[in-house]
Amino acid sequence: MNLKQEVGGLIGADRVSDDPEVIAALAGDMSFVPSRSPDLLAKPKGAKDIQGIVAWANQANVPLVPVSSGAPHSRGDTVPSVGGVVVDLSGMNEILRINRKNRVAVIETGVTFSQLIPELKKEGLRLNLPLAPRANKSVLASGLEREPVIIPRHHWDAADPLLCLEVVFGTGEVFQTGEASGPGGLQGQWQIGGAQKFPLGPHQVDYHKLIQGAQGTIGIATWASIKCELYPVIDKLYFLSDTRLERLIEVAYRLIRLDLGDEVFLLNNFTLASLLAPNREGIDKLVRTLPPWILVFTVCGYNRHPEEKVDYQEKDLFEITQKEGLTPGQSLGEVKAEVLLRVIRNASPEPYWKLRYGGENYELFFITTLNRVESFIPALREMAVQENYPASQIGIYIQPVVQGTSCHLGFDFPCPQGDAREKARIRGLIEKASLAFQKQGAFFSRPYGSWAQMVYSQNTEFVNAMKRVKGVFDPKNILNPGKLCF
Amino acid sequence: MALAPHIYKMFANIVGSVNISDDPAILETYTFTWLNEFNNLCAPGKFLPHHPEAVLLPGSTEEVQAIVRACNRYGIKFKALSTGYGSHSLPGQPGVVVLDLRRMDRILEIDEKNKFAVVEPYVTWAQLEAEVIKRGLFTTPVQAGSQASVLANLTSGWGMNTFGNHGGHNGRNALGIEWVLPTGDLLKLGPPGEWFTGDGPGPSLRGVMRGHCGAQGGMGVFTKGAIKLHHWPGPPKLETEPGGMMTAYLLKEIPEFLEIVAPCFDTYEQMIDFFYQVGDAELAYAMMRVGGAEHMFSLMGAISNKEMYEQFYSTGLVQAMAEEMKHPCTVMIFANSRREFEYRKKVMSEIVKETGGKILEVMTEGPMKDIMMKQMPVALFGNCTLFIHHAGGFVISSGYMGTNESVVRHMGIPQEEIKGKWAKSGKILDDGADSTYYNSFENNAYVYMEMEFHYDASNPESVNASRQCLSDERNQRRLEKSGFEPNDIGLTCGDYEKSPQQRIMDMGPHYGNFHLWQERIKRAFDPNDVSDRSWYGAGLLTKDVKIK
Ligand SMILES: Cc1cc2nc3c(=O)[nH]c(=O)nc-3n(C[C@H](O)[C@H](O)[C@H](O)COP(=O)(O)OP(=O)(O)OC[C@H]3O[C@@H](n4cnc5c(N)ncnc54)[C@H](O)[C@@H]3O)c2cc1C
């Protein structure tokens, strides 16, 4: 028997493939992680299939690499380190429940942003979204990756908006986390008024926190409940721009502190142009018309006296901006607020906004605090100049997270498609900057690719503890071996 | 001396001879906490059966590490406690040394801009609150009272709190944490030397740290931790003056944009509707139901039973209000500007009306007016533990976390029924079969509900009645198939007639065999089994727990 027959025997012959073209497409992504082919693609239909595959993999000692989103992938986490079976979960894409009352959706792992956003809107709900995510990105996977989301006020904990999960651990055992644990299953719990909103537990372990950020190395999630927010009745987006970041950061701090505004984030002109313009020429043209730094925030009214709610927020907000000598506006040169509002309330149209400039894009991101952001940016620009990378083409995105207790600082480096030299140059720049920034206190909380080695070599105690966890949930290292510290 | 002399000497070398004791009189105090009488290990007595071998007062992380390492080497069990407010903080088995962390009592940092504070284990809510409101920030003190440890709640036990609607559940408020693992290794969650996050790199080990209920001493010792804070719209200091009843002092001035709204509802359905509407509109700084009438009055209006009787019972007020105040809610509006305040008040009164809420005159006029506006905020901010005085002793049902509907349906209603029966027997306090604590979190994203049972702590019959009442409650719901509902907070508590081990065996299979997973984690993190596991959800090691 070969792999194909064995796995096909478990989940159906039509759900496995070793077609060389299919396999080749899974062998690499848009990252610096070396390409390596899997041996097989498997497309399970549900938890039972997954359990079967995991049990088999344990016996056969074959690695499994879970994937939920559509291509292109860009962080190396779904590139097999040692071959094995890519477990493609994108076909498990049923929206199991949308519950307006409790502001929650329960979705299978393959449900994408472009699929869920309109369905939620019909019910008067929305997601606390990442910044214009890829249309075919899995909502659940985005949550598992702790991608930063754009409404800091609703981001109570780093785990949000991911709440409860069903997971097949590396041991092959199925488990439901948080409020979803316990008798009845989803249906039974809904019948008694439950909604899988409380994420902690059961009891003395927060399983969701161990699965999150694990790049598929602890368990394979089948469904999750996702925290949703109300869709505004009145929706206004404002720009606040400046030549320097300092005052904008002050304003961002105040807005978050006072729960004013919904979406709050900061961008440089290049990122804003990339979000709005369709291609390289458009981006180049638009960037020239934009100020260097832009704070974007929205002011929203809901079903109860929305105008009045917007009105008081605007007045309170304007007092804050005035103090800093800044005036918010609903346009920025030729850019209109409504246009950006549409962009940030949806998944990105194709091509994905990060790919519009060069066709390829490489990322550098970490967690810091807003008041430290400025200490990284000039240093990065200097390094870019040293490496001959045009500093004006670096996208910068600053997202306050966990109610403003910290922020995500992200840099995007567009690269001409297929240009190996440029890619190498960017790689050098990112690696150099990463090392320098780590020394400076940047926290690479989501260590993809070579960052894993960089952060874990500095934190042996964490590695030891994580290995203990791994030993409990995936003792045979079946799940995505070679990632993180495993 | 139960510890071998050389071991005692070794511990004394670590902490200093003035910071260690095995004096029987001292050790005896570490078997006692108030309310112990309902604990199955000693009920109806007051002293737990297991004396510690010694009590150590470490003064630093390094000392904690040295003690834990020594425990591993010599096979001695240890149990850490911060403020020690319940039997969960005391040894649950023989051969344990207690690490009483009271010398580690500093607030290490308050990061005003990034809204967090870093504390040591013996920093209390009162201590932290007093410092952070000066900086326009507030915290999330628990109903256990302002004298309880911040860090213990953040890392090791529960997390339900009065200001959860705006400040969140403390299980979700932890950022960077310093943690001496059961092996003695030092683990820092989040970036080295920084506190702004505790998640990653990669998976978050906060997952092993805590869960819903906290490891309760079964997973090493937490020595420092950062707690997320939230905005305080009030003045940097609250001036008070003597007066009133429940706290014996009143606010001199009500902060400018603060109002307490206390609507009463006839039915749970109406009340639930109210919670949802207020949650959707994000109006409340705090939102809870504490009630019914007897509970509400005794909580708010009296510092002693005598006063309560004279003020409210002998006048017939409580009896008269029982029907009207079936579901009394307390909501705090606390705004940042006049405009926001006016908007919130307007929407609030609209919601009260729409959902059938009644604002009772008795609460807004006469003596209750001052109590509501000047005393209630003090009690809430000061987080007074007021609900225990009626009968001298109290115990809670296990408590539930979930949606409004699920907790009311599966806890509130059945418990009222059972409690009603017991109250009639005269053995527990007749509080109208009510006394729930019901609190909203994160703008009503989820709620917590528990019911209190008040008994006469000096009367074994009354103590036993309250314990039986709780067992009845659990047993009845266990009979209904769907009666187990998600996220029973106690899981292993709430049935005080059984040993923790029995409760775990009971509940584990209904909750994904969590006890087996916890046992595996326990073995992985505590290979020598030294961090006292008696309150950890794997239970004491018995042959009943089969691990693959
Ligand atoms: C009347 C009453 C009301 C309560 N109300 C609430 C409530 O509303 N919300 C709520 O969340 N809880 C409540 N509790 C439970 C508990 O008291 C609290 O969670 C409290 O925050 C913890 O303080 P403590 O003094 O009990 O802590 P401790 O007894 O010091 O510790 C609690 C547990 O954590 C362990 N522990 C403490 N410190 C450490 C440490 N540094 N390292 C490792 N383990 C440690 C202890 O061994 C113990 O098991 C209540 C308890 C009582 C008696």
Side-chain angles (χ1 to χ4, degrees):
Chain A
M1 280 248 261
N2 62 21
L3 276 189
K4 191 176 173 191
Q5 281 169 335
E6 287 190 34
V7 182
L10 292 168
I11 65 168
D14 56 333
R15 298 198 154 261
V16 293
S17 171
D18 58 3
D19 179 322
E21 252 180 59
V22 172
I23 294 297
L26 298 171
D29 69 357
M30 205 184 291
S31 71
F32 306 122
V33 170
S35 292
R36 198 151 297 152
S37 296
D39 302 303
L40 188 75
L41 170 71
K43 293 188 157 203
K45 296 183 295 281
K48 280 242 147 57
D49 277 358
I50 298 172
Q51 261 194 298
I53 295 174
V54 173
W56 164 83
N58 268 285
Q59 275 188 351
N61 193 22
V62 175
L64 302 176
V65 182
V67 185
S68 294
S69 306
H73 303 285
S74 58
R75 291 174 186 150
D77 48 332
T78 54
V79 177
S81 302
V82 281
V85 180
V86 166
V87 182
D88 178 352
L89 306 156
S90 59
M92 289 170 56
N93 61 355
E94 203 182 321
I95 299 172
L96 301 173
R97 189 192 204 205
I98 293 176
N99 184 237
R100 157 63 186 84
K101 193 173 181 184
N102 290 298
R103 306 191 300 256
V104 67
V106 182
I107 53 169
E108 287 191 324
T109 181
V111 170
T112 61
F113 281 107
S114 60
Q115 183 187 354
L116 186 58
I117 291 168
E119 294 305 317
L120 288 175
K121 196 171 173 187
K122 285 184 204 158
E123 302 290 328
L125 291 173
R126 61 171 161 154
L127 291 167
N128 192 354
L129 283 167
L131 184 62
R134 248 169 47 228
N136 62 356
K137 173 89 187 175
S138 150
V139 178
L140 191 154
S142 170
L144 281 178
E145 288 184 77
R146 287 202 296 264
E147 289 197 320
V149 286
I150 55 183
I151 313 177
R153 184 158 60 84
H154 292 313
H155 196 225
W156 298 78
D157 182 88
D160 285 343
L162 190 78
L163 298 171
C164 306
L165 293 156
E166 179 179 83
V167 61
V168 180
F169 287 127
T171 56
E173 287 149 292
V174 184
F175 195 78
Q176 289 88 26
T177 71
E179 192 188 341
S181 157
L186 285 176
Q187 295 286 346
Q189 294 176 9
W190 296 337
Q191 266 168 26
I192 64 162
Q196 297 87 33
K197 283 274 325 238
F198 185 65
L200 303 187
H203 211 38
Q204 291 160 311
V205 176
D206 282 326
Y207 299 86
H208 69 306
K209 284 203 166 274
L210 298 172
I211 303 155
Q212 206 173 29
Q215 298 180 18
T217 60
I218 298 292
I220 300 180
T222 63
W223 53 252
S225 54
I226 307 286
K227 196 172 192 189
C228 300
E229 310 302 338
L230 296 185
Y231 205 95
V233 175
I234 302 182
D235 225 357
K236 284 184 170 179
L237 182 143
Y238 282 99
F239 300 106
L240 199 65
S241 61
D242 204 355
T243 49
R244 289 181 309 128
L245 262 174
E246 200 182 339
R247 290 190 296 177
L248 300 180
I249 285 180
E250 269 324 297
V251 173
Y253 266 128
R254 287 310 291 167
L255 300 192
I256 294 167
R257 179 78 170 255
L258 300 179
D259 285 345
L260 290 170
D262 279 25
E263 283 91 347
V264 181
F265 53 87
L266 298 114
L267 308 170
N268 75 343
N269 47 10
F270 190 82
T271 296
L272 182 58
S274 305
L275 280 163
L276 295 170
N279 52 33
R280 187 180 185 112
E281 292 68 41
I283 295 170
D284 276 335
K285 203 166 140 228
L286 186 55
V287 165
R288 286 197 288 273
T289 71
L290 295 172
W293 292 107
I294 305 106
L295 167 67
V296 177
F297 61 86
T298 61
V299 182
C300 305
Y302 296 88
N303 54 347
R304 290 186 184 271
H305 308 290
E307 292 86 3
E308 287 170 46
K309 170 132 190 171
V310 166
D311 183 60
Y312 90 70
Q313 288 193 85
E314 282 179 340
K315 287 185 175 135
D316 286 1
L317 263 158
F318 293 169
E319 276 179 14
I320 293 168
T321 57
Q322 241 167 26
K323 259 194 208 140
E324 295 294 331
L326 297 166
T327 312
Q330 291 192 284
S331 60
L332 203 58
E334 60 190 74
V335 175
K336 298 277 167 277
E338 310 87 77
V339 178
L340 183 62
L341 190 59
R342 262 201 307 280
V343 168
I344 65 168
R345 285 287 159 76
N346 286 293
S348 168
E350 291 298 324
Y352 178 47
W353 63 272
K354 292 196 183 195
L355 305 181
R356 286 179 202 157
Y357 196 79
E360 284 178 30
N361 182 69
Y362 297 93
E363 299 173 319
L364 163 61
F365 54 81
F366 50 84
I367 300 279
T368 180
T369 53
L370 270 180
N371 52 344
R372 286 189 240 195
V373 158
E374 280 176 292
S375 66
F376 296 106
I377 293 167
L380 182 81
R381 289 205 167 122
E382 220 166 88
M383 282 184 252
V385 171
Q386 283 164 12
E387 300 290 320
N388 280 331
Y389 185 87
S392 61
Q393 288 173 20
I394 301 174
I396 306 180
Y397 166 46
I398 304 162
Q399 181 61 64
V401 293
V402 195
Q403 300 188 317
T405 48
S406 56
C407 75
H408 160 99
L409 175 55
F411 299 95
D412 287 307
F413 301 86
C415 174
Q417 200 151 16
D419 185 338
R421 271 187 56 184
E422 189 63 5
K423 182 174 171 179
R425 191 205 311 273
I426 294 173
R427 180 179 187 165
L429 172 56
I430 290 180
E431 285 178 356
K432 186 171 156 189
S434 302
L435 273 171
F437 289 171
Q438 177 168 256
K439 281 204 190 105
Q440 222 179 299
F443 184 49
F444 290 78
S445 64
R446 302 155 61 205
Y448 295 102
S450 63
W451 288 336
Q453 168 68 20
M454 182 183 82
V455 299
Y456 291 127
S457 64
Q458 301 295 307
N459 202 338
T460 40
E461 247 347 290
F462 189 91
V463 172
N464 289 343
M466 263 325 296
K467 287 191 170 160
R468 292 175 202 265
V469 171
K470 179 77 168 173
V472 168
F473 294 102
D474 182 26
K476 293 200 175 164
N477 202 5
I478 290 306
L479 296 177
N480 216 359
K483 303 297 184 238
L484 299 174
C485 51
F486 309 128
Chain B
M1 194 186 280
L3 284 179
H6 69 286
I7 304 254
Y8 186 90
K9 197 164 158 214
M10 171 197 65
F11 284 137
N13 272 338
I14 295 171
V15 291
S17 55
V18 293
N19 292 313
I20 182 169
S21 177
D22 61 356
D23 179 336
I26 300 280
L27 299 188
E28 186 76 353
T29 66
Y30 287 86
T31 65
F32 172 82
T33 58
W34 67 301
L35 306 178
N36 246 358
E37 60 277 352
F38 62 73
N39 190 321
N40 99 303
L41 293 174
C42 52
K46 295 223 176 224
F47 293 87
L48 287 163
H50 307 296
H51 287 91
E53 302 293 320
V55 176
L56 285 73
L57 272 55
S60 66
T61 303
E62 293 67 34
E63 289 182 11
V64 171
Q65 263 192 291
I67 296 167
V68 172
R69 287 208 170 111
C71 287
N72 274 276
R73 170 169 289 261
Y74 294 104
I76 298 164
K77 297 190 195 306
F78 65 90
K79 172 97 175 176
L81 71 90
S82 294
T83 41
Y85 200 32
S87 44
H88 45 250
S89 62
L90 303 177
Q93 55 180 319
V96 176
V97 295
V98 164
L99 275 67
D100 182 335
L101 302 167
R102 67 180 63 218
R103 289 174 65 216
M104 298 170 72
D105 60 356
R106 291 171 305 162
I107 299 174
L108 299 171
E109 182 183 337
I110 297 173
D111 186 330
E112 201 172 319
K113 276 203 128 98
N114 300 304
K115 296 196 298 184
F116 62 80
V118 186
V119 295
E120 290 188 332
Y122 198 68
V123 171
T124 64
W125 294 106
Q127 193 181 341
L128 182 63
E129 206 174 297
E131 291 306 318
V132 299
I133 73 164
K134 291 181 196 159
R135 294 161 172 86
L137 291 165
F138 202 54
T139 182
T140 36
V142 297
Q143 286 278 293
S146 285
Q147 80 296 340
S149 156
V150 175
L151 191 70
N153 195 253
L154 191 69
T155 59
S156 305
W158 303 287
M160 306 75 70
N161 67 86
T162 312
F163 295 92
N165 194 62
H166 189 252
H169 185 281
N170 284 326
R172 282 164 54 82
N173 283 339
L175 302 171
I177 299 287
E178 184 185 88
W179 178 4
V180 176
L181 294 173
T183 50
D185 296 328
L186 187 65
L187 178 64
K188 166 69 190 11
L189 302 187
E194 302 280 358
W195 299 98
F196 53 79
T197 179
D199 297 285
S204 175
L205 284 170
R206 279 172 63 195
V208 173
M209 172 177 94
R210 195 188 196 288
H212 185 182
C213 308
Q216 295 171 37
M219 206 31 95
V221 188
F222 301 95
T223 43
K224 297 183 182 105
I227 180 168
K228 176 160 71 89
L229 303 170
H230 59 126
H231 184 63
W232 166 256
K237 190 166 179 219
L238 286 175
E239 299 288 350
T240 55
E241 58 192 6
M245 286 170 283
M246 68 176 146
T247 50
Y249 49 87
L250 297 167
L251 278 183
K252 235 184 204 164
E253 247 175 79
I254 300 165
E256 204 179 355
F257 305 128
L258 176 97
E259 183 161 293
I260 303 281
V261 184
C264 295
F265 297 91
D266 290 336
T267 65
Y268 269 127
E269 286 73 19
Q270 289 172 327
M271 184 197 86
I272 288 174
D273 193 17
F274 173 78
F275 267 60
Y276 275 111
Q277 301 295 334
V278 176
D280 276 359
E282 297 181 54
L283 301 179
Y285 204 68
M287 175 157 72
M288 68 205 77
R289 171 196 195 272
V290 182
E294 191 277 344
H295 197 53
M296 192 75 180
F297 277 98
S298 58
L299 204 161
M300 295 192 326
I303 203 157
S304 69
N305 284 351
K306 183 168 173 284
E307 252 181 23
M308 180 169 80
Y309 183 78
E310 283 167 4
Q311 282 282 324
F312 302 119
Y313 277 83
S314 64
T315 57
L317 186 61
V318 174
Q319 297 87 328
M321 295 313 295
E323 252 326 283
E324 290 269 41
M325 289 182 65
K326 248 185 142 25
H327 300 288
C329 297
T330 306
V331 185
M332 179 185 285
I333 295 178
F334 206 177
N336 297 303
S337 69
R338 163 90 32 220
R339 292 180 279 258
E340 185 173 75
F341 191 44
E342 295 306 327
Y343 173 83
R344 289 194 178 162
K345 282 197 299 182
K346 175 177 167 173
V347 175
M348 180 65 75
S349 60
E350 188 177 286
I351 294 174
V352 170
K353 225 186 246 151
E354 268 177 35
T355 52
K358 295 173 290 184
I359 304 286
L360 303 180
E361 233 173 63
V362 63
M363 305 292 274
T364 51
E365 302 298 331
M368 287 303 279
K369 187 179 172 192
D370 256 9
I371 290 175
M372 283 310 284
M373 287 309 297
K374 291 188 164 176
Q375 195 155 27
M376 188 62 137
V378 180
L380 293 177
F381 294 141
N383 216 47
C384 308
T385 311
L386 295 158
F387 43 82
I388 31 80
H389 63 71
H390 334 359
F394 99 104
V395 58
I396 58 159
S397 64
S398 53
Y400 289 82
M401 207 63 143
T403 62
N404 292 262
E405 198 185 336
S406 69
V407 300
V408 164
R409 200 153 129 190
H410 290 271
M411 214 210 82
I413 296 168
Q415 289 207 345
E416 279 169 19
E417 253 171 50
I418 293 166
K419 190 174 178 181
K421 281 184 211 152
W422 280 94
K424 277 201 190 79
S425 78
K427 289 178 184 159
I428 63 169
L429 184 93
D430 185 357
D431 53 4
D434 206 323
S435 295
T436 53
Y437 170 58
Y438 186 99
N439 204 346
S440 164
F441 293 88
E442 301 182 15
N443 287 315
N444 201 43
Y446 47 91
V447 294
Y448 170 69
M449 187 177 199
E450 69 184 27
M451 185 173 273
E452 294 146 20
F453 299 81
H454 301 267
Y455 57 84
D456 179 351
S458 62
N459 175 354
E461 207 187 349
S462 180
V463 173
N464 269 332
S466 68
R467 298 170 73 232
Q468 276 170 30
C469 178
L470 279 167
S471 301
D472 275 8
E473 183 261 319
R474 295 213 91 158
N475 290 336
Q476 172 183 304
R477 279 179 307 118
R478 214 158 285 164
L479 296 176
E480 312 164 28
K481 261 250 149 68
S482 65
F484 282 105
E485 83 275 12
N487 248 315
D488 176 341
I489 185 207
L491 281 183
T492 59
C493 46
D495 184 345
Y496 301 99
E497 289 203 309
K498 290 189 173 151
S499 71
Q501 189 63 37
Q502 279 171 311
R503 293 179 226 147
I504 290 162
M505 303 307 283
D506 261 9
M507 302 299 276
H510 296 280
Y511 289 83
N513 282 324
F514 74 86
H515 59 311
L516 300 184
W517 285 108
Q518 286 197 209
E519 180 62 47
R520 290 173 197 172
I521 290 171
K522 177 79 175 155
R523 288 183 188 192
F525 278 80
D526 186 7
N528 296 323
D529 195 22
V530 286
S531 191
D532 183 0
R533 53 159 63 226
S534 50
W535 282 82
Y536 194 69
L540 294 170
L541 276 175
T542 71
K543 56 183 178 342
D544 298 335
V545 182
K546 288 199 180 62
I547 296 294
K548 266 197 193 173

